């Protein structure tokens, strides 16, 4: 696939940012927290990196010649489940065991964000809910980063259908999904993230339709870039974390 190298590079950068976000964000260090309100926060902004992963997924999902049948739809879901569920189950059970051990630590060394995890024991009912991944729950109870897998799990049902709508109706069908991210108060949590997947689909759509040159000539790329920056940095713009992260 001709996009492979570029996509892998983007995923590598995003993965590094997520790693830095989780590792640095756990510890109380004034040398790090001082630039959280500056543009440099993007270096350790794991939520923004996850949005990039969502956009990459949308880019890779869309193809103008993609036909969706019941067989391909079900097989696609099976392949994705087999790819990530085994690792997810192992990590979640390990988190369940460690959480219920109620280990102690010096809270002064950690940030308020990291100190709010594993504060209470978790029952088997909650464990099952988190293992299933379908239901919205409090992901901070066991494994906070897993909120995005709940979103990704739901998207694997929605995205093929959106691809079908784009190919049959038109790219404009993504507009409501793009706008939904600006109204988190009235948009269900999972649907807020459709905007990022759709951004990836839109970019792939124009590449497939060979309209990239047209966009550059018409300066539409300025609008796309501006919208992209707002989506990526909307936490700083409006101070509403629910736009791009947990709920």
């Amino acid at each position: 696939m001709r996009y492979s190298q570029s996509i892998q590079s983007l995923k590598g950068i995003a993965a590094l940012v997520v790693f830095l976000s989780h590792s640095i964000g756990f510890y109380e260090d004034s040398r790090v927290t001082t630039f959280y309100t500056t543009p440099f926060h993007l270096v350790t902004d794991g939520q923004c990196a996850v949005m990039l992963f969502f956009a990459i997924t949308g880019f890779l999902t869309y193809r103008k010649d993609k036909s969706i049948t019941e067989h391909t739809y079900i097989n696609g879901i099976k392949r994705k489940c087999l790819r990530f569920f085994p690792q997810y189950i192992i990590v979640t059970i390990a988190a369940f065991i460690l959480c219920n051990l109620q280990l102690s630590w010096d809270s002064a060394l950690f940030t308020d964000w990291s100190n709010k995890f594993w504060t209470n024991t978790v029952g088997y009912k909650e464990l099952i809910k988190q293992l299933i991944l379908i239901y919205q729950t409090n992901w901070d109870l066991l494994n906070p980063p897993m909120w995005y897998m709940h979103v990704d799990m739901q998207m694997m049902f929605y995205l093929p259908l959106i691809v079908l709508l784009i190919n049959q109706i038109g790219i404009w069908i993504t507009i409501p999904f793009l706008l939904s991210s600006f109204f988190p108060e009235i948009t269900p949590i999972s649907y807020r993230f459709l905007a990022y997947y759709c951004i990836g689909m839109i970019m792939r759509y124009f590449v497939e339709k060979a309209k990239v040159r047209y966009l550059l000539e018409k300066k539409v790329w300025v609008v796309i870039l501006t919208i992209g920056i707002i989506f990526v940095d909307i936490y700083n713009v409006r101070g509403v974390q629910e736009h791009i992260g947990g709920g």
Side-chain angles (χ1 to χ4, degrees):
M1 184 177 180
R2 63 182 181 277
Y3 306 113
S4 179
Q5 186 173 355
S6 300
I7 291 296
Q8 292 302 324
S9 298
L10 282 174
K11 290 169 69 175
I13 294 172
L16 179 60
V17 172
V18 171
F19 171 77
L20 290 173
S21 171
H22 292 167
S23 56
I24 296 177
F26 251 78
Y27 301 98
E28 190 66 54
D29 190 335
S30 58
R31 293 171 298 180
V32 176
T33 56
T34 51
F35 68 81
Y36 279 171
T37 56
T38 73
F40 295 103
H41 82 283
L42 290 172
V43 176
T44 59
D45 197 329
Q47 290 181 323
C48 290
V50 171
M51 299 309 110
L52 178 57
F53 275 120
F54 289 167
I56 290 173
T57 299
F59 185 89
L60 294 176
T61 301
Y62 179 77
R63 286 204 309 270
K64 66 178 181 179
D65 58 346
K66 192 170 187 177
S67 58
I68 307 295
T69 65
E70 182 179 352
H71 177 73
T72 58
Y73 182 74
I74 294 175
N75 280 349
I77 293 175
K78 286 181 179 178
R79 284 196 303 271
K80 188 154 189 176
C81 288
L82 290 174
R83 188 166 65 246
F84 71 72
F85 253 112
Q87 299 93 319
Y88 173 74
I89 291 172
I90 293 172
V91 170
T92 303
I93 292 176
F96 174 77
I97 294 172
L98 291 172
C99 175
N100 285 300
L101 287 176
Q102 289 293 282
L103 303 172
S104 60
W105 58 83
D106 186 355
S107 60
L109 298 175
F110 299 90
T111 61
D112 293 338
W113 174 72
S114 54
N115 276 322
K116 70 180 182 179
F117 309 136
W118 291 6
T119 55
N120 299 299
T121 57
V122 175
Y124 288 103
K125 183 178 180 180
E126 179 62 33
L127 172 63
I128 292 173
K129 283 179 64 177
Q130 299 218 7
L131 287 174
I132 294 175
L133 261 180
I134 295 176
Y135 303 104
Q136 176 62 34
T137 186
N138 182 4
W139 304 105
D140 289 348
L141 292 175
L142 286 181
N143 200 351
M146 291 301 103
W147 67 265
Y148 84 89
M149 291 197 67
H150 165 68
V151 174
D152 216 33
M153 177 73 173
Q154 292 189 321
M155 291 305 122
M156 74 179 181
F157 293 100
Y158 302 149
L159 295 186
L161 302 179
I162 295 176
V163 171
L164 186 63
L165 289 174
I166 292 174
N167 288 337
Q168 291 190 352
I169 300 176
I171 194 65
W172 62 267
I173 199 68
T174 60
I175 293 177
F177 303 128
L178 294 175
L179 295 177
S180 67
S181 184
F182 290 99
F183 304 97
E185 297 83 4
I186 60 174
T187 306
I189 290 176
S190 297
Y191 291 102
R192 300 173 197 172
F193 302 100
L194 272 173
Y196 305 98
Y197 291 91
C198 287
I199 288 173
M201 288 185 177
I202 291 169
M203 298 310 295
R204 179 66 177 271
Y205 174 87
F206 285 117
V207 169
E208 294 288 330
K209 295 288 187 177
K211 292 183 178 179
V212 174
R213 182 178 178 183
Y214 172 81
L215 286 177
L216 294 176
E217 291 174 350
K218 297 297 183 179
K219 302 296 187 299
V220 179
W221 64 273
V222 175
V223 177
I224 294 176
L225 180 61
T226 303
I227 292 174
I229 292 173
I230 292 173
F231 276 136
V232 167
D233 204 27
I234 204 164
Y235 171 70
N236 280 2
V237 172
R238 290 191 56 185
V240 181
Q241 186 171 354
E242 283 78 7
H243 279 236
I244 63 173

